[in-house]
Amino acid sequence: MQKGLIPALQEVMPGVEHRFCVWHLWKNFCKMFKDKQLKDVVWVCAKSTTPQQFNTEMDKLKAMNNSAWDYLSKFPPNTWSRAYFSEQPKVDTLCNNNCEAFNAKILKYRGKPILKMLEEIRSYIMRNMASNKR
């Protein structure tokens, strides 16, 4: 939705690969296409691991609904499907909602005075790190 973000990023960091968060792409897709089968195809395409699998699923989508296929075809596959991700970054994450998940977790601390809020967030992070320590 933030169309100026990609050109700005390329200006500041030329050649950096850009990927879309599939969850956000899917949510926007769901606003236009209500059919559950169509909604599921987005994730199948995104999770495809080979170009052949991706193309097969996109062909199925085109047979089901040409408008849905047109919508997804606007996005280059290397920005949202594992099948086309570059191997350079060594990560194949489809969603980048870490920030949103964190914000949801700290929601209960936001109404507190700043120092109390920061202390509560610090304590939350420390508890989380300790429970995830291996």
Side-chain angles (χ1 to χ4, degrees):
M1 295 301 237
Q2 299 175 351
K3 293 168 182 59
L5 188 60
I6 297 170
L9 184 64
Q10 288 303 316
E11 187 176 312
V12 175
M13 294 183 277
V16 170
E17 185 176 310
H18 178 82
R19 293 183 185 166
F20 291 107
C21 174
V22 178
W23 190 83
H24 287 104
L25 186 115
W26 179 77
K27 290 300 273 183
N28 291 333
F29 182 89
C30 290
K31 289 176 186 175
M32 294 187 288
F33 306 101
K34 307 295 183 194
D35 184 355
K36 179 162 176 19
Q37 278 187 307
L38 293 178
K39 294 176 187 179
D40 292 343
V41 172
V42 174
W43 285 105
V44 173
C45 289
K47 291 178 181 179
S48 296
T49 55
T50 65
Q52 294 81 8
Q53 182 184 12
F54 174 83
N55 292 330
T56 300
E57 295 303 326
M58 286 295 283
D59 289 343
K60 287 180 189 176
L61 177 64
K62 190 173 188 176
M64 290 166 47
N65 186 315
N66 200 49
S67 297
W69 180 86
D70 284 339
Y71 176 79
L72 285 182
S73 294
K74 291 188 309 188
F75 303 98
N78 67 322
T79 62
W80 67 280
S81 176
R82 282 187 179 138
Y84 289 93
F85 282 175
S86 161
E87 294 178 10
Q88 197 66 23
K90 304 295 184 215
V91 67
D92 64 353
T93 304
L94 296 172
C95 295
N96 60 358
N97 284 333
N98 291 335
C99 183
E100 290 179 30
F102 179 73
N103 282 334
K105 289 289 185 184
I106 66 166
L107 196 59
K108 60 186 171 187
Y109 307 129
R110 288 189 181 169
K112 298 183 178 191
I114 187 78
L115 291 177
K116 181 71 173 165
M117 177 186 74
L118 291 173
E119 179 61 23
E120 296 275 348
I121 292 171
R122 184 192 68 78
S123 296
Y124 164 74
I125 292 170
M126 297 299 286
R127 284 189 306 274
N128 195 23
M129 289 172 65
S131 68
N132 292 326
K133 191 174 182 180
R134 294 180 189 228

